[in-house]
Amino acid sequence: HVQLVESGGGSVQAGGSLRLTCAASGPSYERACMGWFRQAPGSEREGVAILDADGSEYYADVVKGRFTVSKDKARNTMNLRINSLKPEDTAMYYCGADPPATWCRPKASFGYLGQGTQVTVS
């Protein structure tokens, strides 16, 4: 089955950058749609970026222009580059994956989830 492991979170100052990585394993068909969502304390989950089976990128309006999602097929990883970090970006960031038949736009619900990586912006 699909396993997802996030890394790259940390504490950064506002205006800085981070690159989050999601290492994926398991059947590639089951993770054709891959994306990131986040959850801040006391808030609902929020889908921020996603790659569909064709490699097209989609972003939530709140992060457009600052977040970039990409895949490294050779390493079986998905990355999220976050620039110009803001305190409101503080959250636990999760990687998710779904097979290609599912709706693949920024979302906070996936069939497969990682454990998350914390991003704190001060």
Side-chain angles (χ1 to χ4, degrees), residues 6-27:
E6 301 93 336
S7 62
S11 297
V12 296
Q13 291 189 336
S17 299
L18 277 176
R19 189 180 79 163
L20 309 184
T21 297
C22 173
S25 61

Side-chain angles (χ1 to χ4, degrees), residues 2-6 22-25 31 34 95-97 112-116:
V2 173
Q3 289 188 314
L4 305 170
V5 179
E6 301 93 336
C22 173
S25 61
R31 45 185 169 89
M34 291 186 70
C95 167
Y112 301 101
L113 301 176
Q115 294 299 308

Side-chain angles (χ1 to χ4, degrees), residues 36 38 46-50 57-67 86 88-89 105-107:
W36 294 89
R38 64 187 181 185
E46 176 185 38
V48 294
I50 204 161
E57 305 165 29
Y58 300 93
Y59 300 94
D61 288 343
V62 69
V63 304
K64 280 182 181 176
R66 297 192 299 119
F67 286 31
K86 304 176 181 180
E88 50 264 44
D89 293 321
R105 292 295 185 271
K107 60 183 180 178

